[in-house]
């Protein structure tokens, strides 16, 4: 889900932050119109990135002595976050022989394309079309068979009824 964010930055001319502001910040702001960027100078404090998300979440990252490339990566990281706190997934059981297949997570079989999709999206908004299971196919075949049997039984009863009527009529006349 896309949520616009505000990102505050503080400036210290001794670090790679000044280089980031001079070279990269304008490009970042143009490429991400849903992100508001504030540059706020603070004396005698190291520079930091502060992300304020629409859901109320906040995140601080100190950029003290970081080069410009690392700051670019941190800005991309903060832009992609939802603002919800990162939670550790824990298992409620323990084993001495863990599976070599890995741990299941809710994101295990998700399509990575969903993360970069622009919303609203018609394809992702529609209900998923699922194929019939083998059980459903067998049930349908059984229903068809019962229907065919009931049709043949009713046809036989109809034929028997006509024969009996013709017998009764021939015996009376």
């Amino acid at each position: 889900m896309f949520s616009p964010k505000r990102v505050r930055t503080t400036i210290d001319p001794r670090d790679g932050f000044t280089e980031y502001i001079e070279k990269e910040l304008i490009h970042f702001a143009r490429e991400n119109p849903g992100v508001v960027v504030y540059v706020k100078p603070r004396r005698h404090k190291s520079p930091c990135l502060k992300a304020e998300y629409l859901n109320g979440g906040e995140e601080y990252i100190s950029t003290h002595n970081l080069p410009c490339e690392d700051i670019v990566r941190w800005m991309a990281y903060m832009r992609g976050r939802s603002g919800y706190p990162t939670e550790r997934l824990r298992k409620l059981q323990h084993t001495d022989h863990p599976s070599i297949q890995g741990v299941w997570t809710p994101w295990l079989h998700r399509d990575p394309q969903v993360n970069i999709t622009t919303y609203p999206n018609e394809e992702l908004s529609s209900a998923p079309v699922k194929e019939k299971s083998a059980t459903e196919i067998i049930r349908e075949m059984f229903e068809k068979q019962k229907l065919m049997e009931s049709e043949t039984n009713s046809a036989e009863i109809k034929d028997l009824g006509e024969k009996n009527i013709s017998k009764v009529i021939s015996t009376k006349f």
Side-chain angles (χ1 to χ4, degrees):
M1 172 186 250
F2 174 75
S3 60
K5 302 154 185 80
R6 292 187 305 176
V7 178
R8 288 190 182 165
T9 60
T10 58
I11 302 173
D12 187 357
R14 298 170 294 184
D15 295 324
F17 210 87
T18 305
E19 181 185 352
Y20 175 77
I21 290 172
E22 291 172 355
K23 295 182 179 178
E24 302 291 333
L25 187 60
I26 300 297
H27 299 296
F28 178 83
R30 285 189 184 140
E31 291 174 2
N32 302 289
V35 177
V36 179
V37 179
Y38 298 102
V39 179
K40 176 180 155 185
R42 300 185 320 170
R43 291 186 181 191
H44 310 295
K45 293 185 178 179
S46 63
C48 70
L49 299 174
K50 177 184 175 186
E52 298 173 351
Y53 300 95
L54 292 180
N55 63 1
E58 291 185 356
E59 187 172 5
Y60 292 91
I61 297 176
S62 174
T63 57
H64 182 69
N65 293 331
L66 285 181
C68 180
E69 297 80 27
D70 288 349
I71 296 171
V72 169
R73 286 190 208 111
W74 279 116
M75 289 291 280
Y77 169 77
M78 292 171 84
R79 180 196 67 221
R81 289 285 316 273
S82 67
Y84 291 106
T86 305
E87 295 181 12
R88 184 175 175 197
L89 299 174
R90 294 182 182 258
K91 296 190 298 185
L92 298 177
Q93 72 272 1
H94 172 74
T95 180
D96 292 330
H97 306 286
S99 170
I100 59 170
Q101 296 173 352
V103 178
W104 179 88
T105 66
W107 307 278
L108 185 63
H109 299 293
R110 298 285 173 112
D111 183 16
Q113 188 67 23
V114 173
N115 295 334
I116 57 174
T117 302
T118 305
Y119 291 95
N121 185 331
E122 281 294 321
E123 182 180 330
L124 295 175
S125 298
S126 62
V129 178
K130 62 179 198 176
E131 297 179 20
K132 293 181 183 177
S133 67
T135 305
E136 291 172 343
I137 293 171
I138 291 174
R139 283 183 181 159
E140 285 181 4
M141 291 171 60
F142 179 71
E143 291 296 326
K144 286 179 184 176
Q145 183 180 4
K146 281 184 11 183
L147 183 64
M148 289 176 63
E149 285 177 3
S150 66
E151 286 176 1
T152 56
N153 287 344
S154 65
E156 288 176 2
I157 291 171
K158 195 175 188 181
D159 289 342
L160 287 176
E162 289 175 3
K163 288 179 184 177
N164 289 339
I165 291 173
S166 63
K167 284 182 185 178
V168 169
I169 293 172
S170 64
T171 56
K172 287 186 179 181
F173 296 109

